[in-house]
Amino acid sequence: MRDDTIPVPGAADRAVAYGDLTDDLLRTDWWTDAMLARADIPVVDIPFVSIGGGIGSFVTVDYLRICGVPPSAIRVFTQLDTPWESYEYLTRVSQIPRGERLRSDSASCPDNIWGFPSYALREAMATRSLKPLAHVLVEPIFDDYWTPKAGQAFDSMEQEYHRIRYPEMVVKGQVRMVRRRMGGGYFTILTPPAGATRTKRVAFRSRYVHVAVGYPGLKFLPDLMDYRETYRDFGSVVNAYEPHEQIYERLHRAPGTVLVRGGGIVASRVLQRLIDDRDARGLSTQILHAFRTFVDGPHGPHAWMRRPGGDGWAYQGFNYPKSVWGGQLKARMRKLDGQDRAALYEVFGGTNTPKRRGWQAQMRRGRQEGWYRAFQGEIATMEPGPQGTVQVQLKTATGPARAQVMGVIDCTGLEADIREHRVLADLLDHGGAGRNPLRRLDVERTFEVRGTRSEPGRLYASGTATLGGYFPGVDTFLGLQIAAQEIADDLAAQGFCQALGPVRSVNQWWKWVCGERI
Ligand SMILES: Cc1cc2nc3c(=O)[nH]c(=O)nc-3n(C[C@H](O)[C@H](O)[C@H](O)COP(=O)(O)OP(=O)(O)OC[C@H]3O[C@@H](n4cnc5c(N)ncnc54)[C@H](O)[C@@H]3O)c2cc1C
């Protein structure tokens, strides 16, 4: 990247690196323009900035562009080449490559705020087949939910990415912090990529900031970390969100046992991969499957709020009941605060996976033929065994057990505490932000981060960092779009963009249909 991609006046003329954070800046919650001038940090003015550049930034920018905000008024700070890069990496390593189907439904389209034409309709048109339409007509009673292929989501996002001129708004770099500005608005400190500019930091002075930084980090369970650090073996005991092809390859080379841990969709996908490989290559892989909570039947507080379950799993089409995105649970949660809100999250939360017919048939076959064994249990200890294996001591519901495995695939955790993310930690310590009843970032119904206002500026956040707020489905395509809509409505009320009324909406939808650049 060259200096001119970040319009820093005079940066290219400076002989030595300049412009870094000072102790004064680090310690102070509210900054003045003079403090940045003293630190020799160049300041760039832009009305709206979005931090992260993943799908949350993309759908928010999409909304604002559709609501009439020009590209010159928006900047997205990111290290990604495309908004779906991070997501594509996570789906690929957790066994959802482009050709496999995602979890969300046909109308959850991050490239299309109207959700119409849906992915199923588009697939039907592209393949000249009525099958996807017949499928959505009978789901979920006579068939599983129809869901799009990952590749379809990425390709369609790419079209919208060009249509809204997203690349013009991207500034590469890592955001270090956001601080409130005396006199209104915010300063966002960006560290440009090494060698891109002589200044070490650039400050973007904006009225509005949107934070969409995704997952604060991978959550490695202590037993996994202990094993890896003690025995310096990073290839046998893995988190499913890390590349772990080596385990499948080892199982191709020699017969062995693998231990899978977790009861969510990633565990389902990993099992599918193991069983597909077993079938396709004639392998004799043995699968042990540990559930911390073993669900043996339908569960829930009332007859009308029960979730199916069995064989260890809790079953649900999507990660929450569907009414969370637009029905009675959405309306109910919007009215709750504090412990009442936390209690409702507790009722419908919990790990679950879709009950897909294909997965059920594979596991049934595995149970009957004795090569798939699921149990309630936890790992007590792990140590290296003979020939590159791992000796696992288990605490199961029926007592201690031992297993010698080729690999352990942990499918339990992606989500670390928000404090592990530097920008979020800084917002908690210096930005006035607080935690919600689930200990994540506390946001208003408009997705403004409570406590961070710097009049007339506003700081918004969306995505998983805000789970526990008035709207539960935040970490999904549709949830990110609903958050974007709330943010756009709030910005329209302040005169920053046009309101998305029926005339603008139909007009913009037609432009979308025609693929017209805006
Ligand atoms: C395996 C998996 C499957 C999923 N499947 C579905 C599905 O089928 N349907 C669905 O609706 N949802 C799904 N989700 C949930 C959700 O839609 C995605 O995780 C989505 O990518 C979240 O978007 P985001 O913008 O919040 O985070 P991301 O897309 O992860 O983007 C955030 C970006 O911010 C960047 N960033 C962080 N800190 C900084 C910083 N300081 N400076 C600059 N950049 C920074 C990160 O590099 C990251 O790339 C899935 C999630 C996972 C993990």
Side-chain angles (χ1 to χ4, degrees):
M1 195 176 73
R2 303 174 320 275
D3 259 335
D4 57 359
T5 58
I6 302 176
V8 179
D13 307 334
R14 306 280 282 259
V16 287
Y18 69 102
D20 204 356
L21 294 164
T22 58
D23 282 348
D24 187 26
L25 286 169
L26 288 171
R27 273 196 313 265
T28 315
D29 293 355
W30 291 80
W31 292 354
T32 61
D33 295 354
M35 287 166 76
L36 286 153
R38 276 200 298 278
D40 207 10
I41 296 179
V43 175
V44 178
D45 284 302
I46 196 85
F48 181 96
V49 304
S50 181
I51 304 171
I55 296 175
S57 291
F58 178 68
V59 300
T60 307
V61 169
D62 197 24
Y63 253 97
L64 294 183
R65 295 285 294 109
I66 288 166
C67 292
V69 181
S72 59
I74 302 173
R75 286 294 172 272
V76 179
F77 305 136
T78 186
Q79 291 169 299
L80 305 175
D81 286 333
T82 61
W84 54 94
E85 185 182 329
S86 213
Y87 176 70
E88 183 167 6
Y89 167 78
L90 287 171
T91 46
R92 192 178 58 245
V93 292
S94 62
Q95 306 306 313
I96 316 177
R98 280 184 169 241
E100 290 289 339
R101 295 198 179 264
L102 298 174
R103 185 170 194 180
S104 49
D105 70 356
S106 169
S108 290
C109 315
D111 67 307
N112 174 350
I113 66 167
W114 301 273
F116 181 80
S118 66
Y119 281 137
L121 183 53
R122 286 186 254 170
E123 188 177 301
M125 291 191 298
T127 57
R128 293 172 183 274
S129 157
L130 288 176
K131 260 169 107 179
L133 296 179
H135 192 146
V136 286
L137 198 68
V138 299
E139 71 177 25
I141 308 293
F142 299 109
D143 209 334
D144 301 334
Y145 276 112
W146 186 93
T147 69
K149 286 186 178 160
Q152 185 183 16
F154 303 140
D155 292 344
S156 59
M157 268 190 270
E158 189 169 352
Q159 285 177 15
E160 185 67 353
Y161 166 88
H162 292 296
R163 195 183 77 86
I164 63 168
R165 292 151 61 195
Y166 191 86
E168 291 174 34
M169 297 173 266
V170 170
V171 177
K172 282 283 187 80
Q174 184 168 25
V175 169
R176 168 69 178 80
M177 61 191 33
V178 183
R179 293 279 170 100
R180 289 164 292 178
R181 173 177 174 268
M182 297 286 276
Y186 304 87
F187 287 112
T188 300
I189 295 290
L190 181 87
T191 313
T197 163
R198 296 237 162 72
T199 174
K200 286 190 179 160
R201 318 273 183 179
V202 184
F204 286 82
R205 185 168 44 202
S206 66
R207 182 158 170 175
Y208 303 111
V209 175
H210 169 236
V211 181
V213 290
Y215 302 100
L218 282 183
K219 190 177 76 186
F220 289 104
L221 292 187
D223 53 10
L224 184 148
M225 288 307 287
D226 283 353
Y227 174 84
R228 286 156 60 134
E229 272 161 22
T230 311
Y231 303 107
R232 311 304 300 162
D233 171 6
F234 295 87
S236 314
V237 178
V238 296
N239 182 301
Y241 288 109
E242 297 176 284
H244 58 276
E245 275 300 306
Q246 72 277 7
I247 295 193
Y248 305 111
E249 277 160 20
R250 272 185 218 167
L251 292 164
H252 294 174
R253 285 198 297 272
T257 303
V258 65
L259 173 63
V260 176
R261 174 162 70 175
I265 188 163
V266 174
S268 296
R269 292 285 332 178
V270 165
L271 288 179
Q272 183 193 345
R273 167 74 195 268
L274 290 165
I275 301 173
D276 283 350
D277 280 6
R278 207 178 185 280
D279 294 342
R281 295 165 182 258
L283 307 181
S284 50
T285 308
Q286 300 284 314
I287 305 167
L288 299 176
H289 185 184
F291 288 90
R292 193 173 46 192
T293 310
F294 194 92
V295 180
D296 52 14
H299 54 288
H302 327 288
W304 61 91
M305 225 179 177
R306 287 177 85 68
R307 185 156 56 194
D311 301 312
W313 306 90
Y315 294 119
Q316 193 162 273
F318 308 110
N319 52 351
Y320 288 121
K322 237 188 160 182
S323 70
V324 146
W325 286 272
Q328 51 98 6
L329 277 175
K330 181 178 185 225
R332 227 171 115 187
M333 194 61 101
R334 215 171 154 82
K335 295 192 202 114
L336 297 179
D337 278 300
Q339 277 320 302
D340 294 339
R341 205 192 309 155
L344 188 56
Y345 268 98
E346 176 74 28
V347 168
F348 63 65
T351 307
N352 58 70
T353 194
K355 192 176 184 182
R356 291 190 185 157
R357 287 164 169 80
W359 292 345
Q360 292 294 316
Q362 284 186 322
M363 287 185 292
R364 203 176 311 118
R365 188 156 49 85
R367 278 190 292 270
Q368 280 162 3
E369 294 172 10
W371 45 259
Y372 169 67
R373 275 161 289 159
F375 56 92
Q376 197 229 314
E378 290 188 39
I379 294 174
T381 59
M382 288 184 282
E383 55 190 43
Q387 283 138 22
T389 58
V390 183
Q391 290 282 1
V392 188
Q393 183 72 48
L394 295 157
K395 277 189 282 183
T396 75
T398 52
R402 274 182 87 76
Q404 185 176 313
V405 299
M406 292 277 235
V408 177
I409 307 178
D410 181 32
C411 307
T412 58
L414 185 62
E415 311 239 5
D417 184 76
I418 57 167
R419 185 164 278 287
E420 287 183 31
H421 194 284
R422 220 173 179 194
V423 174
L424 302 179
D426 197 80
L427 278 175
L428 292 172
D429 295 338
H430 298 282
R435 290 181 185 261
N436 67 28
L438 295 196
R439 312 257 329 126
R440 308 227 185 152
L441 213 53
D442 194 18
V443 294
E444 305 276 2
R445 292 171 183 82
T446 56
F447 285 85
E448 180 181 355
V449 181
R450 202 171 263 161
T452 59
R453 187 169 293 186
S454 174
E455 288 288 3
R458 303 275 192 282
L459 189 148
Y460 302 96
S462 54
T464 185
T466 64
L467 183 72
Y470 296 102
F471 169 65
V474 281
D475 186 31
T476 60
F477 298 158
L478 185 56
L480 290 165
Q481 284 176 318
I482 290 170
Q485 188 169 27
E486 297 282 0
I487 294 168
D489 284 351
D490 199 44
L491 290 170
Q494 295 163 64
F496 179 63
C497 59
Q498 304 291 319
L500 195 60
V503 175
R504 171 168 283 272
S505 186
V506 170
N507 183 15
Q508 287 291 324
W509 177 75
W510 186 244
K511 287 186 176 173
W512 185 93
V513 171
C514 300
E516 185 180 324
R517 269 163 77 93
I518 55 172

PDB file of all heavy atoms in Angstrom, residues 136-161:
ATOM      1  N   VAL A 136     -38.016 -25.532  -0.136  1.00  0.00           N
ATOM      2  CA  VAL A 136     -38.411 -24.503   0.843  1.00  0.00           C
ATOM      3  C   VAL A 136     -39.914 -24.544   1.130  1.00  0.00           C
ATOM      4  O   VAL A 136     -40.357 -24.171   2.210  1.00  0.00           O
ATOM      5  CB  VAL A 136     -37.996 -23.055   0.457  1.00  0.00           C
ATOM      6  CG1 VAL A 136     -36.529 -22.826   0.646  1.00  0.00           C
ATOM      7  CG2 VAL A 136     -38.414 -22.675  -0.935  1.00  0.00           C
ATOM      8  N   LEU A 137     -40.665 -25.061   0.172  1.00  0.00           N
ATOM      9  CA  LEU A 137     -42.118 -25.145   0.358  1.00  0.00           C
ATOM     10  C   LEU A 137     -42.471 -26.163   1.450  1.00  0.00           C
ATOM     11  O   LEU A 137     -43.417 -25.957   2.215  1.00  0.00           O
ATOM     12  CB  LEU A 137     -42.758 -25.560  -0.979  1.00  0.00           C
ATOM     13  CG  LEU A 137     -44.238 -25.308  -1.135  1.00  0.00           C
ATOM     14  CD1 LEU A 137     -44.491 -23.802  -1.202  1.00  0.00           C
ATOM     15  CD2 LEU A 137     -44.750 -25.970  -2.422  1.00  0.00           C
ATOM     16  N   VAL A 138     -41.721 -27.246   1.532  1.00  0.00           N
ATOM     17  CA  VAL A 138     -42.093 -28.313   2.480  1.00  0.00           C
ATOM     18  C   VAL A 138     -41.243 -28.305   3.755  1.00  0.00           C
ATOM     19  O   VAL A 138     -41.501 -29.071   4.665  1.00  0.00           O
ATOM     20  CB  VAL A 138     -42.026 -29.705   1.807  1.00  0.00           C
ATOM     21  CG1 VAL A 138     -42.984 -29.774   0.640  1.00  0.00           C
ATOM     22  CG2 VAL A 138     -40.608 -30.051   1.370  1.00  0.00           C
ATOM     23  N   GLU A 139     -40.211 -27.401   3.831  1.00  0.00           N
ATOM     24  CA  GLU A 139     -39.368 -27.374   5.035  1.00  0.00           C
ATOM     25  C   GLU A 139     -40.140 -26.774   6.209  1.00  0.00           C
ATOM     26  O   GLU A 139     -41.048 -25.964   5.954  1.00  0.00           O
ATOM     27  CB  GLU A 139     -38.100 -26.525   4.781  1.00  0.00           C
ATOM     28  CG  GLU A 139     -38.400 -25.040   4.691  1.00  0.00           C
ATOM     29  CD  GLU A 139     -37.164 -24.154   4.520  1.00  0.00           C
ATOM     30  OE1 GLU A 139     -36.144 -24.611   4.028  1.00  0.00           O
ATOM     31  OE2 GLU A 139     -37.279 -22.980   4.898  1.00  0.00           O
ATOM     32  N   PRO A 140     -39.865 -27.022   7.455  1.00  0.00           N
ATOM     33  CA  PRO A 140     -38.932 -28.042   7.916  1.00  0.00           C
ATOM     34  C   PRO A 140     -39.646 -29.349   8.268  1.00  0.00           C
ATOM     35  O   PRO A 140     -39.059 -30.234   8.852  1.00  0.00           O
ATOM     36  CB  PRO A 140     -38.362 -27.394   9.183  1.00  0.00           C
ATOM     37  CG  PRO A 140     -39.523 -26.634   9.760  1.00  0.00           C
ATOM     38  CD  PRO A 140     -40.354 -26.181   8.583  1.00  0.00           C
ATOM     39  N   ILE A 141     -40.965 -29.451   7.878  1.00  0.00           N
ATOM     40  CA  ILE A 141     -41.727 -30.631   8.292  1.00  0.00           C
ATOM     41  C   ILE A 141     -41.340 -31.854   7.461  1.00  0.00           C
ATOM     42  O   ILE A 141     -40.978 -32.897   7.999  1.00  0.00           O
ATOM     43  CB  ILE A 141     -43.261 -30.381   8.149  1.00  0.00           C
ATOM     44  CG1 ILE A 141     -43.678 -29.091   8.866  1.00  0.00           C
ATOM     45  CG2 ILE A 141     -44.072 -31.588   8.666  1.00  0.00           C
ATOM     46  CD1 ILE A 141     -43.559 -29.114  10.368  1.00  0.00           C
ATOM     47  N   PHE A 142     -41.388 -31.692   6.134  1.00  0.00           N
ATOM     48  CA  PHE A 142     -41.141 -32.856   5.287  1.00  0.00           C
ATOM     49  C   PHE A 142     -39.704 -32.934   4.792  1.00  0.00           C
ATOM     50  O   PHE A 142     -39.325 -33.876   4.116  1.00  0.00           O
ATOM     51  CB  PHE A 142     -42.116 -32.852   4.099  1.00  0.00           C
ATOM     52  CG  PHE A 142     -43.549 -32.917   4.548  1.00  0.00           C
ATOM     53  CD1 PHE A 142     -44.379 -31.820   4.418  1.00  0.00           C
ATOM     54  CD2 PHE A 142     -44.046 -34.072   5.145  1.00  0.00           C
ATOM     55  CE1 PHE A 142     -45.688 -31.870   4.852  1.00  0.00           C
ATOM     56  CE2 PHE A 142     -45.358 -34.126   5.592  1.00  0.00           C
ATOM     57  CZ  PHE A 142     -46.188 -33.025   5.453  1.00  0.00           C
ATOM     58  N   ASP A 143     -38.943 -31.928   5.095  1.00  0.00           N
ATOM     59  CA  ASP A 143     -37.520 -31.972   4.732  1.00  0.00           C
ATOM     60  C   ASP A 143     -36.769 -31.057   5.705  1.00  0.00           C
ATOM     61  O   ASP A 143     -37.386 -30.269   6.420  1.00  0.00           O
ATOM     62  CB  ASP A 143     -37.321 -31.504   3.286  1.00  0.00           C
ATOM     63  CG  ASP A 143     -36.101 -32.161   2.650  1.00  0.00           C
ATOM     64  OD1 ASP A 143     -35.183 -32.547   3.405  1.00  0.00           O
ATOM     65  OD2 ASP A 143     -36.066 -32.293   1.420  1.00  0.00           O
ATOM     66  N   ASP A 144     -35.418 -31.154   5.717  1.00  0.00           N
ATOM     67  CA  ASP A 144     -34.615 -30.245   6.556  1.00  0.00           C
ATOM     68  C   ASP A 144     -34.770 -28.836   6.004  1.00  0.00           C
ATOM     69  O   ASP A 144     -35.175 -28.647   4.867  1.00  0.00           O
ATOM     70  CB  ASP A 144     -33.130 -30.609   6.457  1.00  0.00           C
ATOM     71  CG  ASP A 144     -32.858 -32.030   6.893  1.00  0.00           C
ATOM     72  OD1 ASP A 144     -33.639 -32.563   7.695  1.00  0.00           O
ATOM     73  OD2 ASP A 144     -31.860 -32.604   6.412  1.00  0.00           O
ATOM     74  N   TYR A 145     -34.372 -27.840   6.795  1.00  0.00           N
ATOM     75  CA  TYR A 145     -34.347 -26.480   6.256  1.00  0.00           C
ATOM     76  C   TYR A 145     -33.426 -26.460   5.050  1.00  0.00           C
ATOM     77  O   TYR A 145     -32.331 -27.029   5.089  1.00  0.00           O
ATOM     78  CB  TYR A 145     -33.802 -25.499   7.296  1.00  0.00           C
ATOM     79  CG  TYR A 145     -34.850 -25.016   8.274  1.00  0.00           C
ATOM     80  CD1 TYR A 145     -34.796 -25.390   9.612  1.00  0.00           C
ATOM     81  CD2 TYR A 145     -35.875 -24.188   7.848  1.00  0.00           C
ATOM     82  CE1 TYR A 145     -35.754 -24.938  10.517  1.00  0.00           C
ATOM     83  CE2 TYR A 145     -36.837 -23.737   8.750  1.00  0.00           C
ATOM     84  CZ  TYR A 145     -36.769 -24.113  10.075  1.00  0.00           C
ATOM     85  OH  TYR A 145     -37.714 -23.672  10.951  1.00  0.00           O
ATOM     86  N   TRP A 146     -33.864 -25.767   3.998  1.00  0.00           N
ATOM     87  CA  TRP A 146     -32.981 -25.557   2.853  1.00  0.00           C
ATOM     88  C   TRP A 146     -31.982 -24.467   3.253  1.00  0.00           C
ATOM     89  O   TRP A 146     -32.371 -23.439   3.818  1.00  0.00           O
ATOM     90  CB  TRP A 146     -33.797 -25.084   1.637  1.00  0.00           C
ATOM     91  CG  TRP A 146     -32.974 -24.979   0.390  1.00  0.00           C
ATOM     92  CD1 TRP A 146     -32.802 -25.935  -0.572  1.00  0.00           C
ATOM     93  CD2 TRP A 146     -32.180 -23.866  -0.023  1.00  0.00           C
ATOM     94  NE1 TRP A 146     -31.951 -25.482  -1.552  1.00  0.00           N
ATOM     95  CE2 TRP A 146     -31.554 -24.214  -1.242  1.00  0.00           C
ATOM     96  CE3 TRP A 146     -31.925 -22.596   0.505  1.00  0.00           C
ATOM     97  CZ2 TRP A 146     -30.707 -23.358  -1.935  1.00  0.00           C
ATOM     98  CZ3 TRP A 146     -31.073 -21.742  -0.182  1.00  0.00           C
ATOM     99  CH2 TRP A 146     -30.479 -22.124  -1.391  1.00  0.00           C
ATOM    100  N   THR A 147     -30.717 -24.674   2.985  1.00  0.00           N
ATOM    101  CA  THR A 147     -29.725 -23.639   3.315  1.00  0.00           C
ATOM    102  C   THR A 147     -28.778 -23.460   2.118  1.00  0.00           C
ATOM    103  O   THR A 147     -28.565 -24.408   1.354  1.00  0.00           O
ATOM    104  CB  THR A 147     -28.904 -23.980   4.584  1.00  0.00           C
ATOM    105  OG1 THR A 147     -28.055 -25.076   4.295  1.00  0.00           O
ATOM    106  CG2 THR A 147     -29.798 -24.318   5.768  1.00  0.00           C
ATOM    107  N   PRO A 148     -28.244 -22.259   1.927  1.00  0.00           N
ATOM    108  CA  PRO A 148     -27.421 -22.027   0.729  1.00  0.00           C
ATOM    109  C   PRO A 148     -26.032 -22.637   0.854  1.00  0.00           C
ATOM    110  O   PRO A 148     -25.531 -22.841   1.963  1.00  0.00           O
ATOM    111  CB  PRO A 148     -27.307 -20.502   0.688  1.00  0.00           C
ATOM    112  CG  PRO A 148     -27.416 -20.086   2.109  1.00  0.00           C
ATOM    113  CD  PRO A 148     -28.342 -21.064   2.779  1.00  0.00           C
ATOM    114  N   LYS A 149     -25.412 -22.881  -0.299  1.00  0.00           N
ATOM    115  CA  LYS A 149     -24.010 -23.318  -0.281  1.00  0.00           C
ATOM    116  C   LYS A 149     -23.151 -22.122   0.091  1.00  0.00           C
ATOM    117  O   LYS A 149     -23.468 -20.979  -0.290  1.00  0.00           O
ATOM    118  CB  LYS A 149     -23.605 -23.829  -1.659  1.00  0.00           C
ATOM    119  CG  LYS A 149     -24.208 -25.183  -1.965  1.00  0.00           C
ATOM    120  CD  LYS A 149     -23.671 -25.727  -3.268  1.00  0.00           C
ATOM    121  CE  LYS A 149     -24.274 -27.113  -3.496  1.00  0.00           C
ATOM    122  NZ  LYS A 149     -24.218 -27.522  -4.876  1.00  0.00           N
ATOM    123  N   ALA A 150     -22.051 -22.390   0.807  1.00  0.00           N
ATOM    124  CA  ALA A 150     -21.163 -21.297   1.222  1.00  0.00           C
ATOM    125  C   ALA A 150     -20.722 -20.485   0.002  1.00  0.00           C
ATOM    126  O   ALA A 150     -20.718 -19.252   0.014  1.00  0.00           O
ATOM    127  CB  ALA A 150     -19.960 -21.860   1.967  1.00  0.00           C
ATOM    128  N   GLY A 151     -20.396 -21.174  -1.096  1.00  0.00           N
ATOM    129  CA  GLY A 151     -19.913 -20.499  -2.302  1.00  0.00           C
ATOM    130  C   GLY A 151     -20.933 -19.515  -2.855  1.00  0.00           C
ATOM    131  O   GLY A 151     -20.566 -18.443  -3.350  1.00  0.00           O
ATOM    132  N   GLN A 152     -22.213 -19.863  -2.751  1.00  0.00           N
ATOM    133  CA  GLN A 152     -23.250 -18.953  -3.258  1.00  0.00           C
ATOM    134  C   GLN A 152     -23.252 -17.659  -2.442  1.00  0.00           C
ATOM    135  O   GLN A 152     -23.375 -16.558  -2.985  1.00  0.00           O
ATOM    136  CB  GLN A 152     -24.633 -19.626  -3.180  1.00  0.00           C
ATOM    137  CG  GLN A 152     -25.723 -18.767  -3.810  1.00  0.00           C
ATOM    138  CD  GLN A 152     -27.127 -19.357  -3.693  1.00  0.00           C
ATOM    139  OE1 GLN A 152     -27.370 -20.266  -2.892  1.00  0.00           O
ATOM    140  NE2 GLN A 152     -28.052 -18.846  -4.492  1.00  0.00           N
ATOM    141  N   ALA A 153     -23.096 -17.800  -1.114  1.00  0.00           N
ATOM    142  CA  ALA A 153     -23.069 -16.602  -0.257  1.00  0.00           C
ATOM    143  C   ALA A 153     -21.855 -15.730  -0.612  1.00  0.00           C
ATOM    144  O   ALA A 153     -21.972 -14.507  -0.721  1.00  0.00           O
ATOM    145  CB  ALA A 153     -23.043 -17.012   1.211  1.00  0.00           C
ATOM    146  N   PHE A 154     -20.693 -16.346  -0.822  1.00  0.00           N
ATOM    147  CA  PHE A 154     -19.484 -15.555  -1.110  1.00  0.00           C
ATOM    148  C   PHE A 154     -19.599 -14.872  -2.486  1.00  0.00           C
ATOM    149  O   PHE A 154     -19.285 -13.693  -2.628  1.00  0.00           O
ATOM    150  CB  PHE A 154     -18.222 -16.420  -1.072  1.00  0.00           C
ATOM    151  CG  PHE A 154     -18.029 -17.125   0.249  1.00  0.00           C
ATOM    152  CD1 PHE A 154     -17.579 -18.439   0.309  1.00  0.00           C
ATOM    153  CD2 PHE A 154     -18.315 -16.477   1.445  1.00  0.00           C
ATOM    154  CE1 PHE A 154     -17.415 -19.084   1.526  1.00  0.00           C
ATOM    155  CE2 PHE A 154     -18.156 -17.119   2.657  1.00  0.00           C
ATOM    156  CZ  PHE A 154     -17.711 -18.428   2.699  1.00  0.00           C
ATOM    157  N   ASP A 155     -20.068 -15.625  -3.485  1.00  0.00           N
ATOM    158  CA  ASP A 155     -20.159 -15.044  -4.838  1.00  0.00           C
ATOM    159  C   ASP A 155     -21.144 -13.884  -4.869  1.00  0.00           C
ATOM    160  O   ASP A 155     -20.900 -12.864  -5.510  1.00  0.00           O
ATOM    161  CB  ASP A 155     -20.582 -16.116  -5.851  1.00  0.00           C
ATOM    162  CG  ASP A 155     -19.490 -17.161  -6.054  1.00  0.00           C
ATOM    163  OD1 ASP A 155     -18.339 -16.893  -5.669  1.00  0.00           O
ATOM    164  OD2 ASP A 155     -19.792 -18.249  -6.578  1.00  0.00           O
ATOM    165  N   SER A 156     -22.267 -14.053  -4.174  1.00  0.00           N
ATOM    166  CA  SER A 156     -23.271 -12.975  -4.228  1.00  0.00           C
ATOM    167  C   SER A 156     -22.789 -11.754  -3.439  1.00  0.00           C
ATOM    168  O   SER A 156     -23.032 -10.616  -3.832  1.00  0.00           O
ATOM    169  CB  SER A 156     -24.629 -13.473  -3.724  1.00  0.00           C
ATOM    170  OG  SER A 156     -24.507 -13.924  -2.407  1.00  0.00           O
ATOM    171  N   MET A 157     -22.045 -11.993  -2.347  1.00  0.00           N
ATOM    172  CA  MET A 157     -21.484 -10.842  -1.610  1.00  0.00           C
ATOM    173  C   MET A 157     -20.495 -10.091  -2.496  1.00  0.00           C
ATOM    174  O   MET A 157     -20.400  -8.873  -2.453  1.00  0.00           O
ATOM    175  CB  MET A 157     -20.789 -11.310  -0.328  1.00  0.00           C
ATOM    176  CG  MET A 157     -21.708 -11.314   0.875  1.00  0.00           C
ATOM    177  SD  MET A 157     -20.799 -11.576   2.412  1.00  0.00           S
ATOM    178  CE  MET A 157     -20.821 -13.341   2.543  1.00  0.00           C
ATOM    179  N   GLU A 158     -19.765 -10.855  -3.302  1.00  0.00           N
ATOM    180  CA  GLU A 158     -18.762 -10.211  -4.154  1.00  0.00           C
ATOM    181  C   GLU A 158     -19.435  -9.261  -5.151  1.00  0.00           C
ATOM    182  O   GLU A 158     -18.930  -8.160  -5.416  1.00  0.00           O
ATOM    183  CB  GLU A 158     -17.944 -11.277  -4.892  1.00  0.00           C
ATOM    184  CG  GLU A 158     -16.769 -10.691  -5.603  1.00  0.00           C
ATOM    185  CD  GLU A 158     -15.786 -11.724  -6.116  1.00  0.00           C
ATOM    186  OE1 GLU A 158     -15.920 -12.918  -5.791  1.00  0.00           O
ATOM    187  OE2 GLU A 158     -14.883 -11.304  -6.861  1.00  0.00           O
ATOM    188  N   GLN A 159     -20.599  -9.662  -5.670  1.00  0.00           N
ATOM    189  CA  GLN A 159     -21.308  -8.773  -6.614  1.00  0.00           C
ATOM    190  C   GLN A 159     -21.748  -7.485  -5.923  1.00  0.00           C
ATOM    191  O   GLN A 159     -21.592  -6.387  -6.458  1.00  0.00           O
ATOM    192  CB  GLN A 159     -22.530  -9.484  -7.175  1.00  0.00           C
ATOM    193  CG  GLN A 159     -22.154 -10.525  -8.211  1.00  0.00           C
ATOM    194  CD  GLN A 159     -23.362 -11.282  -8.731  1.00  0.00           C
ATOM    195  OE1 GLN A 159     -24.503 -10.881  -8.554  1.00  0.00           O
ATOM    196  NE2 GLN A 159     -23.098 -12.400  -9.372  1.00  0.00           N
ATOM    197  N   GLU A 160     -22.301  -7.641  -4.720  1.00  0.00           N
ATOM    198  CA  GLU A 160     -22.781  -6.456  -3.997  1.00  0.00           C
ATOM    199  C   GLU A 160     -21.611  -5.552  -3.594  1.00  0.00           C
ATOM    200  O   GLU A 160     -21.715  -4.326  -3.596  1.00  0.00           O
ATOM    201  CB  GLU A 160     -23.580  -6.906  -2.761  1.00  0.00           C
ATOM    202  CG  GLU A 160     -24.244  -5.792  -1.973  1.00  0.00           C
ATOM    203  CD  GLU A 160     -25.383  -5.085  -2.718  1.00  0.00           C
ATOM    204  OE1 GLU A 160     -25.584  -5.355  -3.909  1.00  0.00           O
ATOM    205  OE2 GLU A 160     -26.048  -4.252  -2.088  1.00  0.00           O
ATOM    206  N   TYR A 161     -20.501  -6.192  -3.266  1.00  0.00           N
ATOM    207  CA  TYR A 161     -19.261  -5.499  -2.890  1.00  0.00           C
ATOM    208  C   TYR A 161     -18.849  -4.509  -3.999  1.00  0.00           C
ATOM    209  O   TYR A 161     -18.516  -3.362  -3.741  1.00  0.00           O
ATOM    210  CB  TYR A 161     -18.243  -6.609  -2.652  1.00  0.00           C
ATOM    211  CG  TYR A 161     -16.787  -6.306  -2.553  1.00  0.00           C
ATOM    212  CD1 TYR A 161     -16.228  -5.979  -1.320  1.00  0.00           C
ATOM    213  CD2 TYR A 161     -15.946  -6.445  -3.654  1.00  0.00           C
ATOM    214  CE1 TYR A 161     -14.858  -5.773  -1.212  1.00  0.00           C
ATOM    215  CE2 TYR A 161     -14.585  -6.248  -3.542  1.00  0.00           C
ATOM    216  CZ  TYR A 161     -14.047  -5.905  -2.321  1.00  0.00           C
ATOM    217  OH  TYR A 161     -12.700  -5.708  -2.205  1.00  0.00           O
TER     218      TYR A 161
END
